[in-house]
Every structure is written in C-alpha cells, then in structure tokens.
Amino acid sequence: MKTKKLIFVFFAFFLMLLTGCATTLHVKVKRPSELDMNGANTIAILPFKPAKYYKRQNYSRGLKVLIREFFDFYNDVSSDESICTDYLERKLKEFLLESEYLTLINESSVQNSIKYNRNENPADVYLTGEVVRFDVNDERNEYTKKVNSKSDNGSATYVHMVDFTRHVWFEFNYQIVDSKTEQIISYEHVEIKNSSGIYNSPYDLPDAFSVIKYDIEKEAKKIMKRIQPYEILKSITLIDDHLKRDDLKMARELAEDGLYEEACIRFEDIYKSEKIFEAGYNAALLYEVLGDLNTAKKLMTEVLNVTDDPRASKALSDIKNEIHQADRLQSQLDAQSANN
C-alpha cells in the first residue's frame, strides 16, 4: 500500500515538473446564437399543443393555418401536463423579457392578427410547440430485507419491504418559424425524463412537476442559447517558463493580479528580444483576453513558425475559432440592425 502511495506521489511531482506552474485566467466571452434568426428583433411564444391532440404537422398548409391551431381550445388535458407546459412557456417568456437582443410580443397580438385576417406580422419569428408524450408512472418495488437481529433459534430475520418511485416522461417538439418567409428556421425534438427519490408510501411521492421542474428550466435555457447571443466564462491558461526567470515570473504575477495589458507588454518585449516560447505564447493569450483577437492570431502564428511547438498550434486553432465566433456574432447583430 505504501509503495503504491509513493509511486503516486512521485508521478504527481513529475507531472508538476513537466507542466510547470499554470496561471488560469477567466474571461467572459459572447457567443452568437446557435441559429441564424434572419435578423429577427421580435418573437412570440405561442401556446404548446397538448399531447392528446398531437399529430405530425404539415407545414405546407401555410403559416396562418398552422398558427391558428395553436390557439384552438383543448379539453381534457391533465393538470400535470398543463403545469409543466405552462412552466416551460413562462420560463421562456421570463428569459425573453430580460433579453438584450429579442423583444417579446404578446401572443394575443398574433391571435388578433389571425382572427381579423390582418396582413401584418406581429412578430418577426414565432416559437410554436406541441407535447408528444406526457406520462407519469409510479413504480412499486417489493423486496425482502435482512435485518441484524436474529430469532430465538439463531437464524437471520427478514422483513418484507415496499417502496415507491415516480417516473415522469415529458416529450415535446418545438419549431421556430420566420413570419415573413414562412421558413422553418429550426425544428427540434426534446425528451425530459426523470425520477423521484424512493418513498415508503405512494402518498409521499412528489408531484410530477417537482420531479422535472429543473429539467424544464434547463431546456428553456438551451432554447434561449439557440435563438439569441449568450455569454460564457472561458478559462485561458498561461504557462510557466522552464528557465524560472524572474522577469517572466513577474509578468505572470501581473496577469494573476488582473493587470493584463501590462503583463502582455512585458511578455511580448521579452519574446521580441529573446524569442522565448513561453513569453510569446503568454503574450498572444493575453491579447486574446484583452479582446484583440487579430493581434493574438498574428503573434501566435509567429510563435508557432519560430518554435514549432504543438501547444502554439493548439492555441492558434482556438484563437481562430474565437475570431470565427466573433465574426458570426457581429453578422447576426448587423442583420438585426438592418431589420429595424
């Protein structure tokens, strides 16, 4: 046992020497929406059709006919299903009310437009949905459990046990439709399945909504990432130099203190005068942190050509991806401005 522990400690120490001391910086980065929304500025969330009335849609019937179906009155919908679909719609609306990019249009405006046969489009895009399946199944589990106490004759004692678990399955489709072109921008299928804990009585089981509430909210957040730009927290790791130089250490400490511009200047000056890989690599990453992606790309390309270090190749690919994401985001924002 001690030998294994010594081997592990030696391996960890060797790995630390190999990789050096790492400085990780965290920077907020904006991402474009996963879908290109054709410059949409406004959106309406239409009521979800219940599972009982689910059927595969024929979109060739025209947008107004399709939308009208989502305002039909439906009877005999289970309260569990209604609560879950209402919560999904409510979370989407709450997120949209906080959005910097999309304005939420009340669905009654869409309904009135259809009802009075108006030609104007109340919203640039519509999000419509239908429940494919909503099931709540309670599982009864019977088993025999051995207890510690023994009977008078010394044999083990067993007791008969019964417990219960609730399983919820919420499955729906949603589609995003361009109101001007009647083009389906996206059609997605979502399955939410989750189970409660184990309970001794069926009367203690939580309601279906409680079982999948956080799953519904998670899916609503995923939908928001599809239709509007969003922010992520990206980790960027600087590397220590194998020479253990004081000037490189000082530059790295400046970065750790949040003085990114000053740290970048020091790293770049060292790289320009001595072509030390770590200095050029860290300077390029700090340009990325500062948002100057083109300079980051130019410097990391030079570092790769000079050193042929695979770490520079990997970092350069990441910087190029950031440039692609930034260009796509700007294109989406330009399309929105043009559509105003």
Side-chain angles (χ1 to χ4, degrees):
M1 190 69 177
K2 287 184 178 180
T3 304
K4 287 184 178 179
K5 188 174 181 180
L6 286 171
I7 291 172
F8 175 78
V9 171
F10 175 77
F11 177 75
F13 179 71
F14 175 76
L15 188 63
M16 184 178 68
L17 289 176
L18 186 66
T19 57
C21 181
T23 298
T24 300
L25 311 176
H26 304 286
V27 57
K28 290 182 178 180
V29 180
K30 283 190 177 180
R31 289 281 184 255
S33 61
E34 295 172 7
L35 297 171
D36 285 323
M37 298 285 284
N38 300 339
N41 288 291
T42 57
I43 184 171
I45 307 295
L46 306 188
F48 275 54
K49 182 183 289 188
K52 184 176 179 180
Y53 301 91
Y54 165 71
K55 62 182 178 180
R56 190 171 297 278
Q57 298 297 333
N58 177 9
Y59 295 101
S60 63
R61 290 171 295 165
L63 180 63
K64 286 196 173 182
V65 176
L66 170 65
I67 292 174
R68 189 178 291 115
E69 291 185 358
F70 288 91
F71 289 107
D72 287 344
F73 181 76
Y74 296 103
N75 296 309
D76 303 323
V77 180
S78 76
S79 59
D80 285 331
E81 181 182 344
S82 292
I83 291 169
C84 291
T85 53
D86 288 348
Y87 185 69
L88 174 61
E89 292 172 26
R90 187 167 79 249
K91 293 309 295 184
L92 288 171
K93 290 174 182 178
E94 285 177 6
F95 292 147
L96 283 165
L97 286 171
E98 298 172 357
S99 172
E100 302 174 39
Y101 305 99
L102 290 168
T103 301
L104 179 65
I105 301 299
N106 195 302
E107 62 266 27
S108 61
S109 299
V110 182
Q111 191 172 19
N112 289 334
S113 177
I114 300 299
K115 182 178 178 180
Y116 297 110
N117 201 28
R118 295 171 181 164
N119 292 323
E120 81 275 6
N121 298 305
D124 295 328
V125 294
Y126 303 123
L127 190 152
T128 65
E130 53 193 348
V131 182
V132 176
R133 174 180 179 179
F134 191 91
D135 288 331
V136 181
N137 297 312
D138 294 341
E139 179 185 0
R140 174 188 172 96
N141 185 29
E142 297 188 45
Y143 58 97
T144 303
K145 182 180 179 181
K146 182 179 179 180
V147 295
N148 293 329
S149 59
K150 295 185 178 180
S151 59
D152 295 338
N153 61 10
S155 60
T157 302
Y158 294 87
V159 293
H160 181 71
M161 302 290 292
V162 181
D163 58 40
F164 302 85
T165 304
R166 175 157 288 168
H167 305 283
V168 183
W169 189 326
F170 181 29
E171 188 176 347
F172 63 91
N173 298 329
Y174 73 89
Q175 48 276 328
I176 299 164
V177 185
D178 187 312
S179 65
K180 294 187 180 77
T181 64
E182 301 193 8
Q183 171 195 2
I184 301 170
I185 297 173
S186 177
Y187 182 89
E188 299 294 329
H189 178 80
V190 177
E191 285 186 16
I192 295 175
K193 292 187 283 186
N194 210 339
S195 302
S196 71
I198 299 172
Y199 293 82
N200 294 327
S201 167
Y203 303 106
D204 294 331
L205 289 168
D207 59 85
F209 171 66
S210 298
V211 175
I212 60 171
K213 176 182 177 181
Y214 296 107
D215 299 290
I216 294 172
E217 189 167 340
K218 189 187 300 182
E219 288 301 330
K221 289 178 180 177
K222 286 183 181 177
I223 292 172
M224 292 304 300
K225 286 184 177 181
R226 294 186 63 76
I227 65 177
Q228 69 166 11
Y230 58 97
E231 205 171 64
I232 64 166
L233 191 64
K234 182 176 179 178
S235 297
I236 295 178
T237 301
L238 308 181
I239 55 175
D240 191 12
D241 68 297
H242 63 283
L243 299 173
K244 305 299 179 185
R245 290 174 44 149
D246 290 338
D247 52 355
L248 289 171
K249 180 183 178 183
M250 184 177 295
R252 199 176 66 253
E253 288 174 348
L254 287 170
E256 290 171 355
D257 291 338
L259 301 172
Y260 303 141
E261 192 168 347
E262 188 173 343
C264 181
I265 292 170
R266 294 205 181 195
F267 275 127
E268 188 171 18
D269 286 345
I270 296 168
Y271 174 73
K272 285 180 177 178
S273 62
E274 302 180 55
K275 300 301 180 188
I276 295 174
F277 167 75
E278 290 86 351
Y281 179 91
N282 288 345
L285 289 188
L286 284 165
Y287 273 119
E288 182 183 354
V289 170
L290 292 166
D292 190 347
L293 297 176
N294 289 323
T295 303
K297 176 186 172 184
K298 181 180 178 181
L299 181 54
M300 193 64 79
T301 300
E302 181 186 332
V303 171
L304 177 60
N305 292 336
V306 170
T307 66
D308 200 30
D309 192 300
R311 289 174 293 179
S313 177
K314 184 178 179 182
L316 180 59
S317 295
D318 179 69
I319 292 168
K320 287 179 178 178
N321 178 61
E322 288 299 327
I323 292 173
H324 171 72
Q325 297 283 357
D327 288 346
R328 189 160 170 253
L329 173 61
Q330 191 58 51
S331 177
Q332 290 177 355
L333 297 177
D334 290 344
Q336 278 192 310
S337 297
N339 202 32
N340 272 333

